[in-house]
């Protein structure tokens, strides 16, 4: 019998990681010391509507600091029954080299 060879699939996922807007912690977050792994973070609470699109986040989040994620928002504010989930979003972003979770959304 003649061997039938199928082509090898050499495709790979490719993404553009560079963005025009960059949210980042400073260089000291990479060096041991007082600000080591203590990066920038953004958050929306109490009914705030987070809308972030086409942004690069790097050196963000704060290691071992609960609630200091790279991006963090709550769906409902205390005492409110209106959900912001249908208004808030974080999409088409590049999130890399973080010190904590990239995106956290909860009630």
């Amino acid at each position: 019998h003649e061997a039938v060879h199928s082509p090898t699939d050499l495709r790979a996922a490719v993404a553009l990681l560079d963005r025009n807007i960059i949210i980042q912690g400073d260089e000291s977050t990479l060096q041991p010391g007082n600000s080591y792994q203590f990066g920038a973070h953004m958050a929306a609470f109490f009914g705030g509507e987070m809308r972030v699109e086409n942004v690069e986040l790097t050196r963000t989040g704060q290691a071992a600091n609960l609630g200091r994620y790279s991006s963090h928002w709550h769906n409902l504010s205390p005492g409110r029954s209106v959900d912001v989930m249908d208004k808030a979003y974080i999409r088409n972003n590049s999130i890399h080299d973080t010190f904590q979770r990239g995106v956290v959304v909860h009630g």
Side-chain angles (χ1 to χ4, degrees):
H1 295 295
E2 229 176 87
V4 177
H5 298 284
S6 60
T8 303
D9 187 0
L10 299 175
R11 294 177 292 177
V14 177
L16 177 64
L17 295 180
D18 292 337
R19 300 288 194 267
N20 290 332
I21 299 172
I22 301 173
I23 298 172
Q24 66 183 13
D26 64 25
E27 292 287 331
S28 67
T29 61
L30 301 172
Q31 307 301 321
N34 289 338
S35 59
Y36 181 58
Q37 294 187 342
F38 196 79
H41 71 99
M42 57 183 177
F45 305 113
F46 305 109
E49 298 172 15
M50 182 180 287
R51 297 178 184 168
V52 182
E53 187 170 10
N54 298 318
V55 171
E56 179 179 356
L57 287 89
T58 185
R59 298 192 306 256
T60 56
Q62 297 174 0
N65 197 352
L66 185 64
R68 298 296 188 221
Y69 313 114
S70 296
S71 59
H72 179 200
W73 84 78
H74 291 191
N75 292 340
L76 295 172
S77 63
R80 277 187 55 178
S81 60
V82 178
D83 193 347
V84 299
M85 229 20 224
D86 61 337
K87 301 174 187 174
Y89 57 82
I90 181 165
R91 60 184 176 210
N92 301 322
N93 297 291
S94 169
I95 303 172
H96 61 93
D97 299 317
T98 65
F99 308 121
Q100 184 55 286
R101 294 173 180 96
V103 178
V104 174
V105 180
H106 56 91

